[in-house]
Amino acid sequence: MGQAFVFPGQGSQAVGMGKALAETYPQARAVFAEVDDTLGQKLSALMFEGPEAELTLTANTQPALMAVSLAVIRVLEAEAGLDLARDAAFVAGHSLGEYSALAAAGSLSLADTTRLLRLRGSAMQEAVPPGVGAMAALLGLDYETGVAVAKQAMEEQGGGAVCQIANDNGGGQVVASGSKAAVERAMEIAKSKGAKRALLLPVSAPFHCALMQPAADVMADALAKVEIKAPKVPLISNVLAAPVEDAKDIRGLLVAQVTGTVRWRESVTYMASKGATLFVECGSGKVLTGLLKRIVDTATGVSIGTPADIDAFKART
């Protein structure tokens, strides 16, 4: 059975995430301690106890979600004998989860990943003033229709307005991102094109669109100074929806990802087409496992974020 290990992105965070792992496994505690030390902040306390409003700040959410994902990987290595190089056909992550995937595959160190995600979260937050941008889920549209809707909305707004498809999540779920007025217009157009629903998302900035170019520039500078090794498992890139293993290519794609579409539907379809039948979601929540059912109904998804999940995975192997 081909296995793909996948890593969640923003929206999967919840107060209490990782706490039971830390209480049960020294490997998880070690990951959280290294992240705390790297940031000079007790991020683990924020993850375990809240407050939620502080945890959901992008600069905190991004390294926090990665920390839980890496804690799961380290525990699986110790408790279930996991060896990604041997046991995984692919790794992939949704948006910030791509960094978690690279850290799990040995391409980035935990400390560098932590610093990069703190910077990425801050830079994305600061790229667009509050209230200028928006994101909206367009439910019931396929990707091609979503792209046409975003293009029409941008053209109708004119004046340098931005509207792009930020996420193609599969199962008729696409997300538009850009200038607030253009995104709101896209919601109206989407309904006229057959969308079941169109709703604004409670996000702090318009991610994965051209308005994020200042953040992409920040990440280009930061990634140029970080050692990136070839991953021990092929990474399915958000931007390409195809495997990438060359460190130089990974660097450029991580920069492009800031303003580019997260092609999750195509990424999952690709992995399934190459023999992946079990998708193991490592970290907080079950968002990617839920999306899997809408993309490839013949594949099996399991999510691992608690000691009970670890035990269940051990029982499978």
Side-chain angles (χ1 to χ4, degrees):
M1 177 186 289
Q3 295 186 116
F5 284 74
V6 296
F7 300 85
Q10 212 149 323
S12 291
Q13 70 275 4
V15 172
M17 64 182 190
K19 186 175 183 182
L21 290 173
E23 290 170 346
T24 310
Y25 303 111
Q27 297 83 9
R29 290 194 294 276
V31 169
F32 298 140
E34 183 172 350
V35 170
D36 287 351
D37 288 347
T38 300
L39 294 177
Q41 171 196 5
K42 286 290 285 183
L43 185 65
S44 59
L46 183 59
M47 291 156 53
F48 301 162
E49 311 295 342
E52 185 177 7
E54 197 172 338
L55 178 61
T56 55
L57 292 174
T58 305
N60 289 327
T61 304
Q62 295 202 20
L65 283 168
M66 181 277 299
V68 180
S69 290
L70 266 290
V72 168
I73 288 291
R74 297 291 174 255
V75 172
L76 288 175
E77 289 169 345
E79 293 288 320
L82 175 69
D83 178 346
L84 280 181
R86 179 193 67 209
D87 300 329
F90 304 104
V91 293
H94 194 286
S95 191
L96 81 90
E98 191 155 274
Y99 286 78
S100 307
L102 287 165
S107 187
L108 287 168
S109 72
L110 178 58
D112 281 342
T113 310
T114 300
R115 284 188 284 265
L116 286 168
L117 285 175
R118 166 53 56 84
L119 182 64
R120 184 177 182 269
S122 299
M124 291 172 87
Q125 184 65 61
E126 293 164 8
V128 181
V132 170
M135 296 182 77
L138 311 178
L139 304 178
L141 292 188
D142 60 30
Y143 174 63
E144 289 73 19
T145 306
V147 169
V149 164
K151 184 170 184 259
Q152 182 180 337
M154 192 161 61
E155 288 170 350
E156 288 184 12
Q157 287 298 312
V162 169
C163 188
Q164 294 170 231
I165 296 303
N167 301 72
D168 176 16
N169 288 331
Q173 185 190 115
V174 295
V175 177
S177 180
S179 313
K180 190 167 188 288
V183 170
E184 289 171 345
R185 179 63 188 134
M187 293 168 69
E188 296 170 14
I189 297 169
K191 289 172 186 171
S192 74
K193 300 283 188 186
K196 294 173 186 169
R197 289 176 70 201
L199 60 154
L200 284 171
L201 298 177
V203 294
S204 54
F207 304 126
H208 297 290
C209 75
L211 295 177
M212 287 285 116
Q213 188 57 49
D217 295 340
V218 169
M219 294 313 296
D221 183 58
L223 285 159
K225 301 168 183 169
V226 169
E227 182 185 14
I228 300 179
K229 299 176 183 175
K232 55 191 175 187
V233 182
L235 171 81
I236 305 304
S237 157
N238 282 187
V239 172
L240 298 179
V244 57
E245 297 180 69
D246 180 85
K248 183 174 175 231
D249 293 340
I250 289 168
R251 206 182 301 273
L253 288 165
L254 288 175
V255 175
Q257 185 222 57
V258 178
T259 56
T261 302
V262 177
R263 296 169 62 185
W264 191 250
R265 173 184 57 86
E266 293 172 277
S267 296
V268 171
T269 302
Y270 177 88
M271 290 184 276
S273 76
K274 298 299 182 183
T277 55
L278 179 65
F279 288 74
V280 184
E281 180 176 7
C282 299
S284 178
K286 301 180 179 182
V287 170
L288 300 183
T289 302
L291 291 177
L292 175 68
K293 295 179 177 67
R294 302 179 193 172
I295 301 170
V296 184
D297 57 10
T298 55
T300 301
V302 297
S303 49
I304 304 180
T306 67
D309 297 336
I310 299 283
D311 291 340
F313 185 79
K314 286 164 65 176
R316 294 179 69 98
T317 55

